[in-house]
């Protein structure tokens, strides 16, 4: 139970007090009415004695009475009706509410911190009113009148005669059979005569003389002169007198207001004494001369209210409103205005005198008389008091159980019955706090009643015996709770008297609570809940809940459960405020614990009750909670919740139609998933035209590609700004999302839309219909073109500044996540802030199918049946930025950075480029060349310039070099629709090469430039507004088969320089699928043939071409039409092994081998020499676009790749080459690049197409094989994975780097034997066969010339050693043995590129085939001390045939 203001002892003592009746004359009532009080009300605040009182018990022992209180009431001649009592209690509870601002009690129990009101004043008010309004009954005397005050005014003509009339009236009420009510304690009721004197208006002498006469007549103990109204009513309220009446009158204003409405009380007169009884049904009848006391009981109800025990909500609200008003009026009326503090003391003295001199002696005397009667009847010699022990110490009669007792609750005792006299004596003792004697009497009476099976009487005795036992000082015996249990059961089950049972429960629960037996108290309270009274059940359940929470180990969930039950019963009883309070307190326990259905029920009830009480904000909040939690309710229930919510919300908005838009809870918005797109939607493809993919909201965010785009933009910006990226550079972001960098304010362009994609989620199982959905924004106009960077102009944000798109209907199906794209159109520069979305939230009628439309409705798409229930509201878009984690402070605390994606800056007008690709292929063969066209359109009102395109794959495309625009295509190329520039050749020039030259600068691959950034050759370099231009674009299929994504970034600027936005970009991603075509491999080696012209250095180039196409693309065969070389130092001279058939065809899986002779170029410098060897009738000019473009692009990308690889190695091994080593290595370097041009014949749709293409092979090193594609991947493609794995195991690709210690790293790295062998080139000149007559001369001498050529750029010391003999027996068997004659070792020095010849003689002794290549040649650089010498290898054996003649 909740805490109470009073202790349990005070509560019980105040519940049972001596009752005193008051009967006033009309004049006396008029005197008290001057103070807006009746007589009983006048004395009420002073009815508690401030001092102890003494009286003697029947044993003549002194008994002390502390804190005694008496109750003075007007005589009411009708018993209160049950309906009236119900109404009174209902009103008392409804008026008593928790005080606002009351500090609640915070109870911590486990995980719960509960905010609970510590006290329940409504329960205490109910309890007090309930106990006071209990009608007097015959089985007990506690609420019978002990005495009667007769009050007469001193101003009356015959006061003594008036006393006589009142005395007779009291006698008639008590003893006449006409009146069954009120009840009187004993026949000889104490009459106390009070003379009321008005000090301000009356004559004091007359009052004194009348009082003297009264003393003589009634004795000094039986009368009193009470002087009041010392202050005249007309005097101003200049001094503040305390008002002790208000607290009492507020409690009783409900019953008293009915009395006040009837006007002043009337004096009793003899002439209308016959009409004292009113029928009790018509309270408005005013009987002349009758005191209001004798009218119907204040709790009397009319017929309607008597029959109806429950109250309609609207009536209830009216009732409570009227009660509050009456409370205001009653509390606003001043009381005791004519009384001074002296008068207060006089009234207090009067009550004390009455109690000391009148009441207590009367009670003492009555107790003695009753005691004597009982003793005489029992025939005992001693008083009952002294004989108690003897009576109860003997053997006890076993008490019968309740169930055994027959139902004799109807048994009545006559008033003189000795059992009732015992009970009467016990009640009197109880009233004057003589609990020990009272207990003895109750105990005796209980036995008597049980013996007689008078169950009502027995239950009353048991009840009071238990209370008396508890209240005995010193607690000689424990509280007999089983007495109370028996009494409650008897009252309820046998006597069917719930009122008395309820009184028992209230008393016993309070006693158990005081003993901390909360569990027992709760069980007792719960036991009395029943269907007959919702109010009682609600109050008791609430107190039971408080018992559970106040236990030593609080039972939080039981508390909450019983609070819910109490709230439900309060609601049924019409106590909406209390119901709401109970549910709110219980909600603290259920909230956030996963009991969603319980939470929904509580919130729904809270919402309804709040709405009934017009607490609309609370109602909205409660319904909001139901909807925003992931509800497990079925769809129908959720639909009900939603409709109720909308209805409540509609009422809220109607109260303040001009107020701010409310925040709506549905649908959910995933704020972080909000995306913002700047610019127009992408235009779809039109026929052959394919628009640039650019970026759109339909594309998924890819972190890697986003990083690539940023790198491309940085690359082109660096080129434009001469290699430096400006400090204020901000990467262009067209689409902002949760992954993008949103720390800076994004830039939007005036007159270009800003699209916001909002992610809505409907958590309910019912569809939601949003209508008139649009963005909520704030705009601050600024002029950025001004010098001072735009001071804010105070302009009203009208519709002319920002245009907003409105979505008329947006349906979100049950549990669906759906994106809404909302647009804003800025028409002026400034700062735009997108705040949120605004819409009407509603539902649609009918059952919804999965697609959102019920077929039975028969609606067109976009048309929904609207049930009329919708509310206008908003939701804010609040995006939390990324968590900061840079500084130590940020790491140790939780801080978030800004997210400014919804705060764009609208800048001045900028050009807007659209790019269209015409005849752009989706599939190519590896190396295929295809011509397409690109159309550039300026769709803005500003001219654009500085158009560039940047890509990570510049080798994929070209717009043509500088020469491409100047040199028109040849007629033959046009006829054959060739992408190349061709020239018809004659048949004589088949074997020899056709020369041309070109500079890499012409093709954008000059020194220091970035090959990835390509200038787009616009005419006049400007594209005017609305203008479009088409440019040719050649494409080159990537060398690897598969799907390739190639990113283009088009960069352009406005002619006007802007402060905020310097440039714009357009993105395009081309997806190309490449199929296998040719696999080209090439090797270069030095030719052993040394021409006589001296420096005639030459090489042999072997080209292997294999058709690896699998005929998937419909390719019939490939034709090799031309092989071209391009180099600064070398050129192809002629084809060596060209067959008679000029046409080189390769069917599927065929391989061809070509051999070419290469010679050094005569010209030097930056220009590349192109040499074309043509196998057909048309020469493709390889130094023109697009052939040269793609060659130079592949060359630059290869250089870039090797450059990054060498950078990687630099960190591992220190590159410390000597000059000597560098020179030696340079000998084996060769910069010769081969371009193989081909045609493929393809059959597609019964038509033959000719495809063209080219492959590049870059030859760097002598003897090392080069490929037209990256080696490892290429082999994998050709051989298949299993073969490649075998190959990997034989010759691993990965070579571990060897790390040297610092001291050894200073040693020069030795050149490899291969590199050393390329220093000197040797050649033997001799006759292939030599005839000699061995008969004539046994020795055959053959002259042999040894040519030595220095291939390096330094002087070389050469040692020729002829002493080498072939020792292997195989060689001897094959070639035989011979001897060199003459000098066997030569030392020479060869200058740079010098050729030297030595004349040698070989000696043979018999015929045969001999290998002359037995000489060994050693070489070292002339200026080096350390010998890096190695034998110069002969590439092939030098065979000579010796014949005998």
């Amino acid at each position: 139970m909740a805490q109470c203001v009073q202790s349990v002892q005070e509560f019980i003592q105040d519940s049972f007090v001596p009752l005193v009746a008051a009967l006033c004359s009309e004049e006396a009532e008029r005197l008290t009415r001057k103070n807006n009080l009746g007589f009983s009300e006048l004395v009420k605040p002073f009815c508690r004695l401030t001092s102890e009182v003494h009286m003697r018990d029947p044993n003549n022992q002194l008994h002390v009475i502390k804190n005694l209180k008496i109750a003075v009431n007007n005589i009411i001649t009708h018993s209160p009706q049950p309906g009236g009592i119900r109404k009174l209690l209902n009103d008392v509870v409804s008026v008593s509410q928790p005080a606002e601002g009351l500090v609640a009690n915070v109870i911590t129990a486990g995980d719960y911190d509960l905010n609970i009101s510590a006290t329940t004043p409504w329960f205490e008010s109910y309890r007090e009113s309930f106990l006071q309004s209990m009608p007097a009954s015959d089985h007990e005397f506690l609420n019978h009148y002990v005495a009667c005050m007769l009050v007469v005014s001193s101003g009356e003509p015959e006061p003594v005669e008036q006393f006589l009339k009142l005395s007779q009236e009291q006698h008639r009420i008590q003893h006449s059979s006409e009146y069954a009510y009120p009840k009187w304690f004993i026949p000889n009721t104490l009459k106390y005569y009070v003379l009321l004197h008005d000090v301000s208006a009356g004559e004091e002498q007359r009052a004194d003389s009348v009082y003297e006469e009264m003393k003589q007549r009634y004795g000094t103990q039986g009368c009193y002169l009470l002087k009041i109204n010392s202050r005249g009513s007309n005097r101003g309220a200049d001094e503040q007198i305390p008002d002790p009446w208000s607290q009492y009158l507020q409690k009783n204003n409900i019953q008293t207001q009915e009395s006040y409405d009837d006007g002043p009380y009337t004096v009793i007169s003899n002439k209308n004494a016959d009409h004292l009884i009113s029928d009790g049904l018509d309270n408005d009848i005013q009987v002349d001369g009758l005191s209001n006391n004798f009218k119907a009981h204040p709790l009397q109800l009319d017929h309607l209210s008597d029959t109806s025990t429950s109250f309609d909500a609207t009536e209830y609200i009216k009732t409570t409103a009227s009660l509050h008003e009456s409370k205001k009026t009653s509390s606003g009326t001043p009381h005791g205005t004519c009384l001074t503090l002296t008068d207060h003391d006089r009234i207090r003295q009067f009550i004390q005198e009455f109690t000391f001199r009148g009441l207590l002696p009367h009670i003492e005397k009555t107790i003695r008389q009753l005691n004597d009667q009982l003793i005489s009847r029992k025939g005992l010699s001693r008083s009952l008091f002294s004989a108690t022990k003897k009576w109860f110490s003997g053997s006890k009669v076993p008490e019968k159980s309740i169930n055994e007792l027959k139902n004799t609750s109807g048994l009545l005792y006559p008033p003189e019955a000795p059992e009732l006299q015992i009970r009467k004596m016990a009640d009197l003792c109880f009233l004057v706090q003589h609990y020990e004697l009272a207990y003895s009497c109750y105990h005796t009476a209980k036995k008597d009643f049980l013996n007689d099976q008078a169950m009502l009487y027995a239950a009353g005795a048991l009840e009071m015996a238990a209370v008396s036992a508890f209240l005995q000082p010193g607690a000689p015996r424990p509280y007999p709770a089983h007495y109370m249990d028996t009494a409650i059961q008897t009252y309820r089950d046998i006597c069917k008297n719930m009122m008395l049972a309820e009184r028992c429960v209230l008393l016993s629960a309070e006693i158990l609570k005081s003993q901390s037996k909360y569990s027992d108290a709760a069980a007792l309270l719960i036991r009395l809940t029943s269907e007959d009274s919702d109010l009682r059940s609600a109050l008791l359940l609430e107190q039971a809940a408080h018992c559970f929470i106040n236990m030593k180990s609080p039972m939080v969930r039981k508390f909450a459960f019983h609070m819910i039950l109490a709230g439900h019963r309060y609601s049924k009883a019409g106590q909406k405020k209390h119901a709401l309070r109970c549910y709110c307190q219980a909600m603290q326990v259920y909230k956030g614990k996963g009991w969603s259905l319980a939470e929904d029920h509580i919130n729904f009830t809270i919402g309804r009750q709040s709405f009934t009480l017009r607490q609309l904000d609370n109602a909205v909040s409660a319904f909001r909670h139901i909807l925003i939690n992931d509800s497990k309710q079925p769809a129908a229930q959720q639909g009900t919740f939603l409709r109720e919510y909308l209805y409540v919300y509609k009422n809220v908005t109607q109260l303040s139609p001009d107020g701010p838009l409310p925040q709506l809870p549905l649908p959910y918005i995933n704020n972080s998933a909000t995306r913002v797109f700047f610019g127009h939607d992408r235009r779809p493809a039109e026929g052959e035209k394919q628009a640039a993919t650019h970026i759109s909201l339909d594309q998924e965010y890819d972190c890697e590609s986003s990083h690539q785009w940023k790198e491309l933009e940085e690359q082109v910006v660096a080129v434009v700004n001469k290699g430096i990226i400006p400090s204020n550079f901000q990467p262009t972001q067209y689409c902002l999302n949760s992954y993008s960098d949103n720390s800076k304010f994004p830039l939007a362009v005036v007159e270009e839309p800003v699209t916001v994609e909002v992610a809505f989620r409907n958590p309910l199982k019912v569809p939601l219909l949003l209508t008139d959905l649009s963005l909520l924004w704030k705009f601050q106009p600024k002029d950025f073109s001004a010098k001072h960077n735009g001071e804010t102009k105070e302009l009203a944000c009208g519709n002319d500044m920002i245009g907003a798109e409105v979505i008329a209907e947006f349906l979100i199906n049950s549990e669906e996540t759906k994106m809404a794209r909302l647009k804003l159109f800025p028409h002026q520069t400034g700062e735009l802030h997108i705040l949120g979305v605004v819409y009407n939230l509603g539902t649609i009628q009918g059952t919804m199918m999965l697609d959102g439309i019920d077929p039975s409705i028969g609606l067109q798409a976009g048309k929904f049946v609207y049930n009329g229930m919708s509310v206008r509201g908003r939701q804010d878009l609040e995006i939390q930025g990324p968590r900061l984690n840079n500084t130590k402070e940020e790491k140790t605390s939780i801080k978030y950075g800004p997210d400014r994606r919804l705060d764009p800056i609208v800048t001045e007008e900028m050009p807007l480029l659209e790019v269209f690709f015409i005849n752009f292929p989706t599939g190519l063969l590896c190396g295929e060349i295809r011509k397409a066209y690109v159309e550039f359109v300026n769709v803005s009102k500003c001219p654009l310039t500085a158009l560039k395109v940047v890509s990570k794959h510049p080798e994929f495309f070209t717009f043509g070099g500088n020469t491409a625009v100047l040199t028109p295509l040849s007629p033959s190329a046009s006829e054959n629709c060739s992408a190349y520039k061709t020239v018809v050749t004659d048949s004589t020039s088949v074997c020899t090469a056709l020369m041309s030259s070109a500079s890499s600068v012409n093709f954008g691959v000059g020194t220091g430039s970035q090959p990835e950034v390509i200038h787009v050759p616009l005419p006049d370099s400007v594209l005017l507004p609305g203008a479009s231009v088409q440019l040719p674009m050649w494409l080159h299929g990537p060398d690897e088969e598969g799907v390739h994504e190639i990113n283009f970034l088009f960069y352009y600027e406005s002619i006007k320089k802007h402060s905020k936005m310097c440039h714009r970009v357009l993105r395009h991603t081309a997806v190309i699928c490449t199929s296998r075509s040719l696999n080209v491999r090439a090797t270069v080696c030095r030719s052993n043939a040394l021409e006589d012209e001296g420096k005639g250095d030459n090489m042999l180039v072997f080209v292997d071409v294999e058709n690896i196409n699998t005929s998937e693309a419909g390719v019939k065969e490939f034709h090799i039409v031309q092989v071209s070389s391009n180099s600064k130092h070398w050129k192809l001279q002629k084809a060596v092994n060209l067959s008679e058939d000029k046409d080189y065809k390769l069917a599927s899986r065929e391989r061809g081998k070509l051999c070419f002779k290469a010679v050094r170029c005569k010209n030097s410098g930056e220009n590349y020499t192109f040499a074309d060897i043509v196998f057909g009738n048309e020469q493709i000019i390889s130094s023109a676009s697009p052939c040269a473009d793609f060659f130079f692009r592949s060359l630059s990308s290869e250089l870039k790749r090797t450059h990054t690889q060498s950078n990687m190695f630099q960190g591992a091994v220190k590159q410390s080459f000597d000059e000597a080593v560098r020179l030696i290595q340079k000998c084996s370097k060769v910069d010769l690049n081969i371009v193989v041009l081909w045609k493929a014949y393809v059959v597609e749709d019964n038509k033959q197409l000719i495809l063209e293409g080219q492959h590049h092979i870059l030859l760097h090193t002598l003897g090392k094989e080069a490929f037209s594609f990256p080696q490892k991947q290429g082999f994998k493609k050709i051989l298949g994975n299993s073969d490649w794995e075998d190959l990997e195991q034989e010759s691993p690709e990965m070579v571990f780097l060897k790390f040297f210690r610092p001291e050894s790293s200073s040693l020069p790295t030795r050149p490899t034997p291969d590199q050393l062998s390329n220093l000197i080139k040797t050649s033997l000149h001799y006759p292939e066969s030599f005839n000699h007559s061995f008969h004539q001369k046994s020795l055959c001498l053959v002259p042999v010339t040894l040519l030595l050529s220095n291939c390096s750029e330094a002087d070389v010391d050469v040692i020729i050693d002829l002493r080498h003999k072939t020792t292997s027996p195989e060689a001897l068997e094959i070639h035989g043995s011979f001897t060199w004659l003459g000098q066997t070792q030569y030392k020479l020095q060869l200058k740079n590129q010098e050729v030297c010849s030595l004349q040698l003689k070989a000696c043979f002794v018999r015929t045969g085939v001999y290998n002359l290549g037995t000489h060994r040649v050693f070489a070292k650089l002339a200026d080096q001390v350390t010998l890096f010498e190695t034998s110069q290898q002969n590439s092939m054996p030098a065979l000579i045939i010796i014949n005998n003649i």
Side-chain angles (χ1 to χ4, degrees), residues 1047-1094:
N1047 293 333
F1048 298 89
L1049 186 78
F1050 295 94
Y1051 167 100
Y1052 56 99
E1053 298 174 4
S1054 173
I1055 287 181
K1056 274 196 332 185
K1057 295 296 177 193
H1058 291 166
S1059 59
K1060 291 284 179 190
M1061 192 180 280
C1062 302
H1063 68 273
R1064 299 191 85 174
V1065 295
L1066 176 71
R1067 300 176 182 178
H1068 176 64
T1069 301
V1071 180
I1072 298 287
C1073 181
T1074 53
S1075 313
R1076 294 181 190 176
S1077 57
L1078 297 178
N1079 170 27
V1080 184
R1081 292 184 250 178
T1083 319
V1084 62
C1085 58
R1086 292 195 187 283
S1087 167
N1088 273 356
L1090 275 170
E1091 278 75 9
D1092 297 331
E1093 60 260 22

Side-chain angles (χ1 to χ4, degrees), residues 580-863:
L580 178 60
R581 178 184 47 73
C582 287
Y583 274 101
C584 289
Q585 289 197 352
M587 189 62 184
Q588 297 176 83
V589 175
Y590 288 103
K591 193 174 184 180
K593 293 293 185 293
W595 295 349
S596 60
L597 295 178
E599 268 191 82
D600 287 350
H601 167 74
I602 297 168
N603 273 317
F604 185 66
T605 311
I606 288 174
R608 277 201 155 172
Q609 300 287 12
S610 300
F611 179 70
T612 309
L613 295 169
R614 309 308 292 165
Q615 297 177 10
L616 297 180
D617 290 341
N618 289 349
V620 166
S621 173
F623 280 116
R624 184 189 182 94
H625 279 296
I626 302 177
L627 297 173
I628 63 173
N629 291 334
D630 289 331
S631 175
K632 296 185 176 67
Q633 300 283 1
Q637 190 63 49
Q638 287 185 357
T640 306
F641 287 162
L642 182 59
R643 283 193 298 276
E644 291 257 359
Y645 171 74
L646 294 175
Y647 179 70
V648 170
Y649 231 132
K650 209 168 183 64
N651 279 271
V652 173
T653 50
Q654 283 171 357
L655 290 178
S656 54
D658 300 328
L661 280 174
Q663 291 280 350
L664 293 173
L666 287 175
Y668 289 0
I669 292 180
N670 184 356
N671 282 318
S672 62
T674 302
R675 297 195 296 166
V676 184
F677 178 72
F678 300 99
H680 296 281
D681 293 337
R682 179 172 167 257
R683 192 186 294 184
E686 302 169 2
E688 291 296 314
K689 280 190 181 183
Q690 177 193 345
T693 55
H694 194 38
I695 186 168
S696 72
L697 286 169
D698 298 324
Q699 297 168 0
E700 291 294 324
Y701 178 80
D702 181 5
C703 182
E704 192 177 342
S705 83
S706 175
H707 187 65
Q708 282 180 13
W709 289 119
K710 185 183 172 189
E711 280 183 351
L712 288 173
E713 189 174 354
E714 285 175 350
Q715 212 169 340
V716 68
V717 168
V719 168
V720 169
N721 290 283
K722 299 173 183 174
I724 301 161
I725 295 177
S727 58
N728 63 344
F729 168 70
Q730 189 173 337
T732 306
Q733 295 189 107
Y734 283 106
C735 186
L736 300 178
N737 52 34
S738 54
Y739 305 105
S740 54
D741 177 14
N742 305 324
S743 57
K744 295 177 181 173
F745 292 103
L747 299 175
V749 178
V750 72
E751 303 299 342
E752 290 186 22
V754 177
T755 308
V756 180
E757 184 184 79
V758 183
F760 287 113
R761 181 168 76 84
N762 177 7
L764 303 181
K765 297 183 179 76
V766 291
L768 297 175
L769 181 63
L770 312 186
T771 53
D772 297 339
L773 172 63
S774 63
L775 288 170
L776 203 60
W777 48 266
K778 188 173 75 175
F779 184 67
Q780 197 173 15
K782 282 193 175 183
D783 184 9
F784 297 113
S785 59
K787 287 183 181 177
H788 301 293
N789 198 18
E791 295 177 9
T792 307
K793 298 177 184 175
E794 294 297 328
L795 294 173
C797 289
N799 291 333
D800 55 336
M801 293 194 179
I802 304 286
E805 181 190 45
V806 178
I807 297 177
E809 288 182 339
F810 187 76
L811 179 73
I812 313 173
N813 283 325
S814 60
E815 299 179 330
E816 181 189 18
T817 298
K818 194 172 179 182
M819 307 296 177
R821 291 179 185 171
L822 300 158
K823 288 185 180 176
L824 292 177
F825 301 91
H827 303 308
Q828 190 167 340
T829 59
E831 293 175 0
L832 178 63
H833 303 281
I834 298 163
L835 305 175
V837 287
V838 59
Y839 55 92
N840 296 322
L841 173 63
T843 57
I844 52 179
Q845 286 179 342
T847 56
M848 289 298 118
M849 305 302 289
L850 286 176
D851 60 352
I853 307 298
D854 185 350
S856 64
I857 299 173
L859 295 173
Q860 298 296 323
K863 303 282 184 188

